Amino acid sequence: MNTQATAANTPRAPIASPLSALSPSTLDDSGKLLIRVAVGFLVLLHGIFKISAGVGFIAGMLAKAGLPGGIAYLVYVGEIVAPLLMIAGLYTRAAAGVVVINMLVAFGLVHMADFFALTKQGGWALELQGLYLFGALTVVLLGAGRFSLGGTKGRWN
């Protein structure tokens, strides 16, 4: 009998993945943790920059749009307070909603000229802003999960 043919016909056990040992609930909550920390951290970096650079650019854009320049300081809420709450997992859905609003305002004030533009590589010119917007919207829809300071209880988490 040919041993190669026998070995080829022998059923093999599936290869175990380290993730297969985790429950679907744990994987779900881990995914929620990952998306909220990633989006929160990346948006927070923009807020930290604005602390040192100021909000003059935003105030100017608001004034051009006929809005009071003083509301530019709300960017600190959208790019510092809300991301920190997202990362911590406190009032997560509301905080992510603030980031969504922040990104929509950024699209309207700064990025409308590039809304339908593509880069030289064929990507959307606003893909970074789009990822922030849709990442935050995903957090609004999914919530914080159990790996958060707020836990799974509460309407805003």
Side-chain angles (χ1 to χ4, degrees), residues 1-126:
M1 182 173 193
N2 185 350
T3 57
Q4 287 180 342
T6 305
N9 294 331
T10 305
R12 294 185 181 150
I15 297 173
S17 162
L19 296 178
S20 64
L22 300 173
S23 72
S25 173
T26 299
L27 291 173
D28 185 60
D29 288 323
S30 298
K32 291 175 182 178
L33 172 68
L34 182 62
I35 188 71
R36 71 181 165 77
V37 169
V39 172
F41 177 73
L42 293 172
V43 172
L44 179 62
L45 292 176
H46 287 270
I48 291 169
F49 170 76
K50 287 187 180 75
I51 288 174
S52 63
V55 294
F57 171 75
I58 298 165
M61 296 296 286
L62 287 165
K64 263 204 240 179
L67 297 167
I71 63 175
Y73 289 96
L74 290 175
V75 77
Y76 293 129
V77 174
E79 293 186 8
I80 294 175
V81 177
L84 286 172
L85 288 170
M86 283 176 59
I87 291 167
L90 289 169
Y91 301 102
T92 308
R93 290 179 195 264
V98 169
V99 172
V100 167
I101 292 167
N102 187 70
M103 292 312 303
L104 290 173
V105 171
F107 270 97
L109 286 178
V110 182
H111 301 294
M112 283 308 290
D114 294 325
F115 197 78
F116 296 105
L118 298 177
T119 65
K120 293 177 186 175
Q121 295 80 25
W124 186 29
L126 301 178

